[in-house]
Amino acid sequence: MALLSALMMEIVIPVCAVIGIAFSLMQWRCRSRYSDNEEEDPTQRIAVEDKYAEIKSTISEGVNSFLLTAYLYAGFFVVAFAIVIFLLLGSVESFSTQSRPCKFDPSNTCKPGLVAAVFSTISFLLGAFTSVFFGSLGTKTAINANARTALEKRNIAGRTFRSAAVVGFLLAAIDLLVLYLAIILFKLYYGNDWEGLFEAITGYFLGGSFMALFGRASGGIYAKAADVCVHLVKEIERNSPQTDRNPAVITNYVGDIVGDIAGMGPDLFGSYAESSCAALVLASISSFGMEHNFTAMCYPLLISSMGILVCLISTFWWEIRPASKKEQLIIATILMTIGIAIVSWIALPSSFTIYNIGLPKVVKNWQLSLCVGVGLWAGQISGFVNKYYTNEDFSSCTCLQYVAADNFRSGLQAALENVSVALGSVSIPFFAAVSIFVSYHLAATYGIAVAALGMLCTVATRLAIDASSPISDNAERIAMMVRIEAPEADGNTTAAIGKGFAIDSAALVSIALLGAFVNRPAMSSSVDVLTPKVIVGLILGTSLPYCFSAMTMKSVGRAGFKMALKVREQLLEFGPEHIGIRRRPDYAACFEISTKASFRGVIGPTALVMFTPLIIGTVFGVEMLSGLLAGSLGSVVQIAISASKTDGAWSQAKEDIKAGALEYAKTHCSEEPMLLRIAVEGKTIGGPWKDTSGPPLNILIQLMAVESLVFAPFFASHGGLLFKFL
Amino acid sequence: MALLSALMMEIVIPVCAVIGIAFSLMQWRCRSRYSDNEEEDPTQRIAVEDKYAEIKSTISEGVNSFLLTAYLYAGFFVVAFAIVIFLLLGSVESFSTQSRPCKFDPSNTCKPGLVAAVFSTISFLLGAFTSVFFGSLGTKTAINANARTALEKRNIAGRTFRSAAVVGFLLAAIDLLVLYLAIILFKLYYGNDWEGLFEAITGYFLGGSFMALFGRASGGIYAKAADVCVHLVKEIERNSPQTDRNPAVITNYVGDIVGDIAGMGPDLFGSYAESSCAALVLASISSFGMEHNFTAMCYPLLISSMGILVCLISTFWWEIRPASKKEQLIIATILMTIGIAIVSWIALPSSFTIYNIGLPKVVKNWQLSLCVGVGLWAGQISGFVNKYYTNEDFSSCTCLQYVAADNFRSGLQAALENVSVALGSVSIPFFAAVSIFVSYHLAATYGIAVAALGMLCTVATRLAIDASSPISDNAERIAMMVRIEAPEADGNTTAAIGKGFAIDSAALVSIALLGAFVNRPAMSSSVDVLTPKVIVGLILGTSLPYCFSAMTMKSVGRAGFKMALKVREQLLEFGPEHIGIRRRPDYAACFEISTKASFRGVIGPTALVMFTPLIIGTVFGVEMLSGLLAGSLGSVVQIAISASKTDGAWSQAKEDIKAGALEYAKTHCSEEPMLLRIAVEGKTIGGPWKDTSGPPLNILIQLMAVESLVFAPFFASHGGLLFKFL
C-alpha cells in the first residue's frame, strides 16, 4: 500500500489549492500598493489619473459587452448540448433506473444508466460554468492590471508580473479545487462504482473544453477584426488620431484583452484539466480502480498540487532576479522533478497493473514517475527550442540574406538550407514523439497521460509568464496615449516559449484521450489504418481543422472592413482633429460590430467541431471516429508548427516574397513607397492565421477527443447506424 | 478459365497501343495541314510568319535549356538512387545467387535475391527514361502546336484540340506499350516466378514517379517565378513593353510550356502507371498468380487498352460537335462502362480468390467489373462537382455578396453558409470515399486498385482536354503580341474538371499501394493507429507535404524578384521604348535565372520525399512508415481540396480580405488606386500555392507509396534498426 493514506491525501490536495489561492491574493495586495510618483505635480497627476479612469471605463464597457454576449450565445449552446448529452447517454440503457453489473469488472455493481446520464449532464454544466468563471476572473484582473500598470512609472516589470501571477495561481488553484470537490461529491453518491464515477466526470472536461474553444475562437476573431480595422484606418486616413479619440484604437485594446486574457484562462483550464481526465479515466480501469486505492487514483491531482507548490517557490526566485524568467522556468522544472519523485514514492504502490486494450501491464512506481518527468522536461526543452526558431532576429535575418547572398550560394548549399528548415519544423513534434515512445514503453497509454500531466504541471508559472506580455504591452500603449514617456516594455520576450509546449501537450493529451476512448469496454480493440472506414475518417479528420480555421478567418476580414467604414464615417463627420472633443466618439458602434462578427463567426466552426464527432460516431461508428481523431491530430500538429514558427509553411513563402519586394523597393524605387506599404499590408494578412485560428486548434483536438470519450457508451451501443442497416 | 486466351491477349494489348499511336499520328497530319488565310496580304503574311518563327525559336531555346538542365540534375539523382536500390535490395538476401522457395507460395521456386536487385534497378532506370521521353515529346508537340495555332485565324479550337489529342493518345498508348513490353521481356527470364516478376516491375513505376515529381516541381517553380517576374515588372515599370521585346514576357511563355506541358506527360504517366502497379502486385499474390492465369493477371492492361479504343471513338463525337467537351467525356464514360463489362467477361474467370492480409476472399468477375465502374463514374462525377465549385461566377459572387448583404443576414444564416462551405469542401473526398467503401467491400484492396484504374482509364480524352487549355492560352497571347486581332480563346473552360478527379484517383492509388505494401509477405499484418510508432509516423507524414510545398514556394519568390531586377537592368540600359530594337534582349539571362532557381529549389524537396520513407522504414520500421504514408495521404487530400477550390481554406480568407479592400477602395477612395493594386498583388501571391505546390502533391503521395513497395523486402528483413538495437 502507498505511504500516503487516503485521509491525508484528502487533506493535502485542498490545502495546496488553498495555499495557491492565498498566495495569489497576497500578490494582488502587493500589486495594489500604489507607489508614489513624488516628482510629479499633484494637479497634473490627478488629470492624468482621471484620463486613465475614463479609458479604463471605456475598455471595461467594451469587454463587458463582449462577455455578456458571449455568455448569452454560449449559454444557448451549452443548454442545447446538455440536453443532447442527457438524451444520448440515457438512451444507452433505455433510461433504466436499475443497477447493473459493471462492464469492466463484472463482480462490482454499477449505478443505473439514467444516473450516468444525469451526472454526466451535471458535470458538463459544472465544467462550462467553471470555465466561464475563469474567463471573467482573468479579464477583470487584466483590466485592473492594465490601468494600474499604465499609471506606474517605475518597476513596471514587477507590477506586470505580479498581476500575471495573480491570474496564474488563482486559475491553477481553483481548477484543482473544483475538480477535487467534484470528484469527492460525486463519490458520495457513486460509492465504489469508480468506473461510473469517472465516466460521469468526463462531462466536466467536455464542458470546460467547449467553453474554452468558444472563448478562444470568438475572442480571436474580435481581436483580429479590431486589429485589421486599426491598420486600415491608419493606412487610408493618414491624419487619423492614434489616441482614444479614435474608436478603432480603443476597440483594438478591448480586442487584446478579450483575445489574449479572456481566452487564456479557459484555454489553460481545458488543457490542464484534460490531461488529468485521461489519466483518471485510464486509472479507473487499472488495478487502482479494482483495489479501490483512492490515493493512487488521485495521483494526477497530487501531481498538480505539487506543481502549485513548486511554482510558488520558483516565484521567489523571481523576487531575487526579476529579469530572468527563463531561469525561473528552469528552477521550477528542477524542483518539480524532485516533487514528482516524492509524490510517486508516497502516493503509488511500488507496483501496479495497467490494462492496455485488455492486456495487463505491470508498472513500477519509479517507471511512472519517469513518465511524468519525461513529459516535464520534453515540454520544457521543446519550449526553448521553439523560442529559438521564432526568434525575430533569426528568421528575419535569414529572409533578407536569401535575397542578398543568393549569388554566392551553390545549389547544394541552397538544398541543405532547405533541409535545415524542414528539420527545424520537425524539432517540435520530435519532443512529443520522444515523450510518447518512452512513456508508452513504460506504462502504455496511462504513461502518455501522465507525461502530458508532467508537461502541464508547472502551468501556474507558465501562465504568469504568458499573461504578463499582453498586460505590459497594453499598459505601454495606454500610457503612450496619455503621456509621452512610456514605461519600459516588458512583453513578448517569453510568449513564444509557451507555444511549442502547448501543442506538444495537446498532442499527448489527445493521444491519451484516444487511448482512454479505445480502452472503454465494448470498443473495438484495434484501429487499423488500412480499413476503409479508418482511412476515410482520417482524410475527413485531416481537413476538419482547416475548415474550422477557414471559417473563423472569414469573419475577420469582413468585420475589420465594416468597422473601418464605421470609423471613417465618424472621422468624416467630425473631421479627424475634432473627433472626441466636441462629442465622445461612438465606441459602442465599433464594439458592437466586433462582438456581432465574432459570435456570428464562431457559431459555424463550433457547431462543426461539436457535431462532427457525434454524427460520425453515430452514423459511421467508432472506427471512422478514431480515424477522424487521428487525422485531426496530425493536422493540428502541422498547423501548430506553421503557426508557432510565426512564418511557418505558407506565410514563410509570403514573407519571402514580401521581403524581396521590400528589398526591391528600397533599392530601386525610393520615390515609390507603394511596395513598402504592400509589405506592411502583408503582415496584417498574415496575422489572422496566427492569432485567430492557431490558438483554438489545440483545444479543438482535445475537445473532440474528450467528446468521443463522453459519448463512448452511446457509440458502443448505438454507433455505426449506417452499417447496421446496410 | 477465361474466354480470352493468353495468346489472344498478347496480341490484343499491343494492337490497341499501336492503334492509339497511329490515331495520334493521323491527328498530327490533320493538324499540320495549313489553312490558307487568303484574305491576307502575302508580304504581310510572310513578315508575320517570320516574326512567329523568331518567337518560336526563342521559346524553344528557353525550353531546351530548361530540359537539358533538368536531365542533367535528374540524371545525377536517378543514378544515385539506382545504386541505392541495387545495394539495399541486394542486401536482403546478402547478394545471393541461389534460387529460393517463394515467400508467398513456398511450393514455387523464386529467382535469387541478386536477380531481384538487378531487375528492380533496371526497371527503375527504364521507368525514369520513359518518363523523360514523355516529357520532351509533350513539350516539342506543344511548342509546335503553339506557334501553328497562333498563326491560325479560323478554327482555332479544332487545331488546339488536335494538338492536344496528339499528346494525349501518344502518351497513353506508349505508356501501355512500354509497360506491356517490360512485363513480357521480364517474363522471359522470370518464367513462373510472378511474385518476383511484379516485385521487379514496381521499380519501373518508381522511376516514372520520381521523374514526374522532379519535372512537375521544377517546371512549377520555373513557371511561377516567371509569372511573378512579369507581374512585378508590369507593376513597377509602368511603360514596359508587353511584347517579345520584354524578356520577362518570353520567359513567362517558356514557363507555361515547361510548367503545364512538360510536367503533364510524366505526371499522367505516373498516375496511370501506378494504378496498374498496385493492381498487378496485388494480383500476383492472388489466385491468378497461383494458377498462372496470365490473361487475368493482365486485366489492368486490358482495361487500359479498352480505354484507348473508347477514347478514340469518343473523339469522333468531338468531330461532330466540337464545342462540347463535356458531352465527349460523358460519352467516353458510357462507352467505357460497356467496355469494362466486356473485358471483365472475357478476361476474368467467373470466380477467383483475393488474399487480403492473408485472408482469402472469393470475388466474382461481375463484382470486379463493378469496382472498375464505380471508380470510373465516381471520378467523372467528382470532376463535374469540382468544376461547379471552382466556377468563377459562383465563388466571386458569394465573395462580394458577403460584404454587401452582411447587414441583412442573421447569425444563423451566416452559420449555415459556413457549414455549406464546409460541405462543399467535403464533396470531393466524398466520391473517393464511396469508391473506397464499395470497391473494398467487393474485392478488398484489389478492388480499390482497379477502381483507381477505372478512374484513370479514359485518360487519353482527359489529357487531350487538359492540354488544350494551355496550348490555346499561349497561342492567343503570342498572337496578341504580333498582330492586334487575337484568335478566339478556348482555354481554361474545362481544366478544372480534371482537378478533383486527379486527387481522388491519387487517393485511391495510394491506398491500393499501401494495401499492396502491407500485403507483402513478412510485413506486420495490421497498422494500429493507437500504437506510438504509427501515430508518430502519422504526425510526421501530415507535415511532409507542407514541408515540400514550403520549400518549393520559397524558391519562387526569390527567383521572381531576381529576374525582375535583371529585366529592369535591361529596360534601364536601353530605355523601355528601345529595348529589343537596337539589340536583341538578353533572354538567356532570364532563362538562366529561372532554370537555376527551379533546380536549386527542387533538390531539397525531392530529396526530402525520396529519402524520408527510406530513412523512416530503415531506422523506425514499417509501422511508422505506414503511419507516415497514411498521414501524408490525409494532408495531400486536404491541400488538394484547398488548391482545387482555387480559393480553398487559406486563400479564401485572403481573398475575402482582398475583396473587402477592393470594395472599400472602390467606394471610398477612388482617388487612391493603391488598395486596388494591393488586391491585384494578392492574386499574385495566391498563385504559387495553386500552381507550384498543388500539382506535384498527388505525385508525392504515390511516389512515397510506390517507393515503400519497392523497398518492402528490405524493410521486412532489415527495417526498424533503432528498435532492434534498443
Side-chain angles (χ1 to χ4, degrees):
Chain A
M1 236 14 225
L3 290 174
L4 190 72
S5 73
L7 184 70
M8 269 303 288
M9 185 216 65
E10 282 177 31
I11 295 168
V12 164
I13 294 177
V15 164
C16 287
V18 169
I19 291 176
I21 294 172
F23 178 74
S24 163
L25 295 179
M26 215 174 72
Q27 292 278 330
W28 177 261
R29 252 177 55 88
C30 269
R31 196 195 59 77
S32 306
R33 245 181 277 134
Y34 186 65
S35 67
D36 329 55
N37 295 327
E38 279 174 14
E39 69 274 28
E40 225 168 346
D41 174 30
T43 15
Q44 197 204 330
R45 192 174 131 189
I46 288 167
V48 164
E49 274 178 40
D50 282 353
K51 185 80 188 159
Y52 277 126
E54 197 193 318
I55 292 177
K56 185 186 151 188
S57 91
T58 314
I59 292 179
S60 284
E61 186 193 316
V63 171
N64 287 336
S65 97
F66 171 81
L67 286 180
L68 275 177
T69 322
Y71 299 155
L72 194 76
Y73 276 80
F76 171 77
F77 236 117
V78 163
V79 170
F81 211 76
I83 296 171
V84 171
I85 292 177
F86 177 75
L87 291 180
L88 293 190
L89 289 187
S91 75
V92 174
E93 304 269 327
S94 324
F95 298 94
S96 113
T97 49
Q98 297 285 309
S99 289
R100 55 194 161 132
C102 291
K103 278 182 194 146
F104 191 76
D105 175 12
S107 67
N108 202 351
T109 316
C110 276
K111 295 289 171 194
L114 188 62
V115 170
V118 171
F119 273 81
S120 294
T121 313
I122 291 174
S123 63
F124 173 73
L125 292 173
L126 183 69
F129 179 78
T130 314
S131 188
V132 164
F133 174 68
F134 278 17
S136 51
L137 191 75
T139 319
K140 293 257 180 304
T141 320
I143 295 175
N144 271 303
N146 265 347
R148 283 194 177 271
T149 313
L151 267 175
E152 196 71 33
K153 281 183 128 180
R154 288 181 307 228
N155 191 21
I156 298 300
R159 194 159 281 265
T160 309
F161 187 74
R162 275 190 222 282
S163 305
V166 172
V167 181
F169 281 93
L170 209 55
L171 295 194
I174 295 182
D175 183 13
L176 178 64
L177 198 60
V178 173
L179 178 58
Y180 176 73
L181 290 179
I183 292 175
I184 293 293
L185 288 177
F186 277 34
K187 193 162 166 269
L188 288 181
Y189 175 80
Y190 270 99
N192 275 339
D193 174 13
W194 289 9
E195 203 184 315
L197 165 60
F198 288 101
E199 208 171 289
I201 281 288
T202 51
Y204 176 75
F205 305 107
L206 180 60
S209 284
F210 167 69
M211 282 305 302
L213 184 74
F214 199 85
R216 258 294 195 222
S218 57
I221 296 174
Y222 192 110
K224 206 62 212 177
D227 198 38
V228 168
C229 169
V230 162
H231 276 90
L232 273 173
V233 170
K234 205 195 274 177
E235 191 80 23
I236 298 157
E237 314 293 340
R238 292 293 151 68
N239 46 359
S240 62
Q242 290 305 304
T243 65
D244 65 324
R245 292 185 295 146
N246 181 346
V249 172
I250 292 288
T251 314
N252 198 13
Y253 292 141
V254 173
D256 283 349
I257 291 173
V258 154
D260 287 339
I261 313 278
M264 189 185 287
D267 186 356
L268 159 83
F269 170 71
S271 300
Y272 190 41
E274 271 159 13
S275 59
S276 321
C277 170
L280 287 172
V281 170
L282 286 165
S284 77
I285 51 175
S286 74
S287 65
F288 304 154
M290 305 275 206
E291 294 160 9
H292 289 90
N293 181 348
F294 196 60
T295 312
M297 268 303 309
C298 289
Y299 179 72
L301 298 183
L302 285 167
I303 292 281
S304 303
S305 311
M306 181 55 88
I308 290 177
L309 295 185
V310 162
C311 290
L312 205 145
I313 296 167
S314 73
T315 307
F316 292 124
W317 179 263
W318 174 84
E319 298 278 353
I320 305 167
R321 285 171 57 94
S324 180
K325 288 171 182 174
K326 198 171 157 183
E327 279 177 20
Q328 195 192 338
L329 273 177
I330 293 173
I331 286 178
T333 309
I334 293 171
L335 288 179
M336 194 62 215
T337 314
I338 304 166
I340 292 167
I342 296 173
V343 170
S344 307
W345 179 52
I346 61 169
L348 294 177
S350 66
S351 168
F352 50 91
T353 314
I354 298 292
Y355 292 88
N356 189 29
I357 322 182
L359 299 172
K361 182 175 175 71
V362 175
V363 182
K364 301 250 182 293
N365 58 357
W366 63 266
Q367 287 178 320
L368 200 64
S369 82
L370 212 62
C371 294
V372 187
V374 163
L376 174 71
W377 282 96
Q380 199 61 49
I381 297 169
S382 158
F384 286 123
V385 170
N386 190 38
K387 182 164 160 50
Y388 173 73
Y389 279 106
T390 35
N391 194 311
E392 287 265 321
D393 298 338
F394 174 76
S395 56
S396 61
C397 121
T398 47
C399 237
L400 291 178
Q401 276 174 355
Y402 273 137
V403 179
D406 216 22
N407 284 315
F408 306 107
R409 292 180 316 143
S410 69
L412 188 66
Q413 242 184 315
L416 286 178
E417 257 171 54
N418 270 338
V419 171
S420 84
V421 169
L423 287 180
S425 317
V426 165
S427 72
I428 295 167
F430 172 77
F431 294 104
V434 169
S435 327
I436 291 169
F437 274 125
V438 173
S439 52
Y440 185 88
H441 182 72
L442 292 173
T445 327
Y446 187 61
I448 297 180
V450 295
L453 201 68
M455 276 194 187
L456 289 160
C457 62
T458 53
V459 83
T461 302
R462 281 185 182 283
L463 189 68
I465 291 175
D466 277 4
S468 62
S469 90
I471 290 178
S472 112
D473 275 5
N474 258 7
E476 185 194 351
R477 287 192 294 166
I478 293 176
M480 291 262 282
M481 219 156 61
V482 182
R483 14 180 199 202
I484 307 305
E485 347 85 270
E488 79 269 35
D490 184 48
N492 268 328
T493 45
T494 39
I497 297 183
K499 278 178 185 160
F501 135 90
I503 193 61
D504 277 358
S505 64
L508 259 67
V509 169
S510 330
I511 294 172
L513 286 168
L514 206 63
F517 169 61
V518 180
N519 269 302
R520 273 290 171 93
M523 289 283 130
S524 76
S525 58
S526 108
V527 186
D528 190 340
V529 167
L530 287 169
T531 55
K533 282 185 203 172
V534 176
I535 204 131
V536 168
L538 189 87
I539 290 173
L540 209 64
T542 312
S543 354
L544 206 59
Y546 289 93
C547 278
F548 179 85
S549 306
M551 285 176 166
T552 51
M553 281 198 290
K554 207 162 196 163
S555 321
V556 170
R558 275 185 278 156
F561 285 98
K562 249 185 105 177
M563 215 193 297
L565 286 178
K566 198 83 196 166
V567 172
R568 195 186 148 87
E569 251 172 44
Q570 296 193 30
L571 290 174
L572 289 180
E573 197 184 335
F574 302 105
E577 57 289 345
H578 297 300
I579 185 171
I581 291 176
R582 268 193 278 160
R583 208 177 76 189
R584 190 172 177 255
D586 189 5
Y587 301 119
C590 286
F591 294 158
E592 205 200 316
I593 292 174
S594 247
T595 305
K596 256 193 181 167
S598 57
F599 290 104
R600 273 189 198 172
V602 92
I603 292 174
T606 314
L608 182 78
V609 172
M610 287 300 270
F611 290 107
T612 305
L614 208 54
I615 292 169
I616 296 289
T618 311
V619 179
F620 300 99
V622 283
E623 284 121 319
M624 198 189 276
L625 181 56
S626 308
L628 182 88
L629 294 176
S632 296
L633 177 63
S635 242
V636 165
V637 173
Q638 154 55 28
I639 296 175
I641 297 165
S642 327
S644 76
K645 287 186 72 197
T646 33
D647 35 22
W650 290 74
S651 59
Q652 173 66 60
K654 205 165 58 195
E655 286 293 314
D656 274 356
I657 294 180
K658 295 292 179 196
L662 200 64
E663 191 75 345
Y664 190 85
K666 273 185 200 153
T667 332
H668 295 277
C669 33
S670 50
E671 77 290 356
E672 172 75 276
M674 189 267 295
L675 275 179
L676 247 153
R677 259 184 278 144
I678 291 180
V680 174
E681 179 73 0
K683 287 215 164 166
T684 316
I685 300 163
W689 176 249
K690 195 158 69 75
D691 300 335
T692 309
S693 306
L697 287 176
N698 52 347
I699 314 180
L700 178 146
I701 178 66
Q702 295 175 37
L703 172 65
M704 295 208 308
V706 80
E707 186 184 348
S708 308
L709 189 58
V710 168
F711 287 107
F714 176 74
F715 296 146
S717 62
H718 295 104
L721 282 179
L722 185 70
F723 298 107
K724 276 183 188 159
F725 287 123
L726 282 185
Chain B
M1 231 20 220
L3 291 172
L4 191 72
S5 72
L7 183 70
M8 270 302 287
M9 187 216 63
E10 283 177 31
I11 297 167
V12 164
I13 294 177
V15 164
C16 286
V18 168
I19 291 176
I21 294 171
F23 179 75
S24 164
L25 296 177
M26 214 176 71
Q27 291 280 329
W28 178 262
R29 254 177 52 88
C30 267
R31 200 195 56 77
S32 307
R33 246 180 276 135
Y34 187 63
S35 67
D36 330 54
N37 295 326
E38 281 175 12
E39 68 274 28
E40 227 169 346
D41 174 31
T43 17
Q44 195 201 332
R45 192 174 131 188
I46 289 167
V48 165
E49 273 178 41
D50 283 353
K51 185 80 188 158
Y52 277 124
E54 196 194 320
I55 292 178
K56 185 184 150 187
S57 90
T58 313
I59 292 180
S60 285
E61 182 193 319
V63 171
N64 287 337
S65 96
F66 171 83
L67 285 180
L68 275 178
T69 323
Y71 299 155
L72 195 76
Y73 276 79
F76 171 76
F77 237 116
V78 163
V79 170
F81 210 76
I83 295 170
V84 172
I85 292 177
F86 177 74
L87 291 179
L88 293 191
L89 289 186
S91 76
V92 173
E93 305 270 328
S94 325
F95 299 94
S96 111
T97 49
Q98 297 287 308
S99 289
R100 56 195 159 132
C102 291
K103 279 185 194 143
F104 190 76
D105 176 11
S107 65
N108 202 352
T109 315
C110 276
K111 295 289 169 195
L114 188 63
V115 170
V118 171
F119 274 81
S120 293
T121 311
I122 292 174
S123 63
F124 172 75
L125 293 173
L126 182 68
F129 179 78
T130 314
S131 191
V132 165
F133 174 68
F134 279 16
S136 52
L137 192 75
T139 318
K140 292 257 180 306
T141 320
I143 295 176
N144 272 304
N146 265 346
R148 284 197 176 272
T149 313
L151 266 175
E152 195 71 31
K153 280 182 128 184
R154 287 179 308 227
N155 192 19
I156 298 298
R159 192 159 282 264
T160 310
F161 187 75
R162 275 189 223 283
S163 306
V166 172
V167 181
F169 281 94
L170 209 54
L171 295 196
I174 295 181
D175 182 14
L176 178 64
L177 198 60
V178 173
L179 178 57
Y180 174 75
L181 290 179
I183 292 175
I184 293 292
L185 289 177
F186 277 33
K187 195 163 166 270
L188 289 181
Y189 176 80
Y190 270 98
N192 275 339
D193 174 13
W194 290 8
E195 203 184 313
L197 165 60
F198 288 101
E199 208 170 286
I201 281 288
T202 52
Y204 177 73
F205 304 108
L206 180 60
S209 282
F210 167 70
M211 283 306 301
L213 183 75
F214 198 85
R216 258 296 196 220
S218 57
I221 295 174
Y222 192 109
K224 207 61 213 174
D227 198 37
V228 167
C229 169
V230 161
H231 275 91
L232 273 174
V233 169
K234 206 195 272 177
E235 190 79 23
I236 298 158
E237 314 293 340
R238 291 294 149 66
N239 47 0
S240 61
Q242 289 306 305
T243 66
D244 66 323
R245 290 184 296 146
N246 180 346
V249 172
I250 293 288
T251 314
N252 198 14
Y253 292 140
V254 174
D256 284 349
I257 291 172
V258 155
D260 287 338
I261 313 280
M264 190 184 289
D267 185 356
L268 159 84
F269 170 71
S271 301
Y272 191 41
E274 272 160 13
S275 60
S276 321
C277 169
L280 288 172
V281 170
L282 285 165
S284 75
I285 52 174
S286 73
S287 66
F288 303 154
M290 305 275 206
E291 295 159 9
H292 289 92
N293 181 346
F294 196 60
T295 314
M297 266 305 306
C298 290
Y299 179 72
L301 298 183
L302 286 167
I303 291 281
S304 303
S305 313
M306 181 56 87
I308 290 176
L309 296 184
V310 162
C311 290
L312 205 145
I313 296 168
S314 74
T315 306
F316 293 125
W317 179 261
W318 173 84
E319 299 276 355
I320 306 167
R321 283 172 58 89
S324 182
K325 289 171 182 172
K326 198 171 156 182
E327 280 176 19
Q328 195 192 340
L329 272 177
I330 293 173
I331 286 177
T333 310
I334 293 170
L335 289 178
M336 194 62 214
T337 314
I338 304 166
I340 291 166
I342 296 171
V343 171
S344 306
W345 179 52
I346 59 171
L348 293 178
S350 66
S351 168
F352 50 92
T353 313
I354 297 292
Y355 293 89
N356 188 30
I357 322 183
L359 298 172
K361 183 177 174 69
V362 176
V363 182
K364 302 251 181 291
N365 59 355
W366 62 266
Q367 286 177 320
L368 200 65
S369 80
L370 213 62
C371 292
V372 187
V374 163
L376 175 70
W377 282 95
Q380 200 60 49
I381 298 170
S382 160
F384 286 124
V385 169
N386 189 40
K387 183 164 157 52
Y388 173 74
Y389 279 106
T390 35
N391 194 308
E392 287 264 324
D393 298 338
F394 175 75
S395 57
S396 62
C397 121
T398 48
C399 237
L400 290 178
Q401 275 172 358
Y402 272 135
V403 180
D406 215 24
N407 284 315
F408 307 108
R409 292 179 317 144
S410 68
L412 188 67
Q413 244 183 311
L416 286 176
E417 257 172 54
N418 270 339
V419 171
S420 84
V421 169
L423 287 179
S425 318
V426 163
S427 70
I428 296 166
F430 172 78
F431 293 104
V434 168
S435 327
I436 291 168
F437 275 123
V438 173
S439 52
Y440 185 86
H441 182 72
L442 293 172
T445 327
Y446 188 60
I448 297 180
V450 294
L453 202 68
M455 275 194 187
L456 290 162
C457 62
T458 53
V459 82
T461 302
R462 285 187 179 281
L463 190 67
I465 291 175
D466 277 3
S468 62
S469 88
I471 290 177
S472 112
D473 274 4
N474 258 8
E476 186 195 350
R477 288 193 292 166
I478 293 176
M480 289 264 280
M481 220 156 60
V482 181
R483 16 182 198 203
I484 309 300
E485 347 85 270
E488 76 269 37
D490 185 48
N492 267 330
T493 46
T494 38
I497 297 182
K499 279 179 186 162
F501 134 93
I503 192 62
D504 276 358
S505 62
L508 260 67
V509 169
S510 327
I511 294 173
L513 287 169
L514 207 60
F517 170 60
V518 179
N519 268 302
R520 274 291 171 91
M523 289 282 130
S524 76
S525 58
S526 110
V527 186
D528 190 341
V529 167
L530 288 170
T531 55
K533 283 184 202 172
V534 176
I535 203 126
V536 168
L538 188 86
I539 291 174
L540 209 64
T542 311
S543 356
L544 206 59
Y546 288 92
C547 278
F548 179 84
S549 305
M551 285 174 165
T552 50
M553 281 197 290
K554 206 162 194 160
S555 322
V556 169
R558 275 185 279 157
F561 284 95
K562 246 183 109 177
M563 216 194 295
L565 285 178
K566 198 86 196 166
V567 172
R568 195 187 147 87
E569 253 172 42
Q570 297 193 29
L571 290 174
L572 289 180
E573 196 183 337
F574 303 106
E577 56 291 344
H578 298 298
I579 183 170
I581 292 176
R582 268 193 277 163
R583 206 175 76 189
R584 188 169 178 259
D586 188 3
Y587 301 119
C590 286
F591 294 156
E592 203 200 320
I593 292 175
S594 247
T595 305
K596 254 194 182 168
S598 56
F599 290 104
R600 271 188 199 174
V602 92
I603 292 174
T606 313
L608 183 77
V609 171
M610 288 300 271
F611 289 106
T612 304
L614 208 54
I615 293 168
I616 296 287
T618 311
V619 179
F620 299 100
V622 284
E623 284 121 319
M624 199 189 274
L625 180 58
S626 308
L628 183 89
L629 295 176
S632 297
L633 177 63
S635 239
V636 166
V637 173
Q638 154 57 27
I639 296 175
I641 297 166
S642 326
S644 75
K645 287 187 74 196
T646 30
D647 33 22
W650 290 70
S651 60
Q652 173 66 58
K654 203 166 59 195
E655 286 294 314
D656 274 358
I657 294 179
K658 296 292 181 199
L662 201 64
E663 190 75 344
Y664 188 86
K666 273 184 197 157
T667 332
H668 294 277
C669 33
S670 50
E671 78 288 356
E672 174 71 280
M674 188 267 296
L675 274 179
L676 248 151
R677 258 183 278 144
I678 291 180
V680 173
E681 178 75 358
K683 288 212 163 166
T684 316
I685 300 163
W689 177 248
K690 196 157 69 73
D691 301 335
T692 309
S693 306
L697 287 177
N698 52 348
I699 313 178
L700 177 147
I701 178 68
Q702 295 173 38
L703 171 64
M704 295 209 305
V706 82
E707 185 183 348
S708 308
L709 190 58
V710 168
F711 289 107
F714 175 73
F715 295 147
S717 63
H718 296 104
L721 282 180
L722 184 70
F723 298 108
K724 276 183 189 158
F725 288 123
L726 282 184

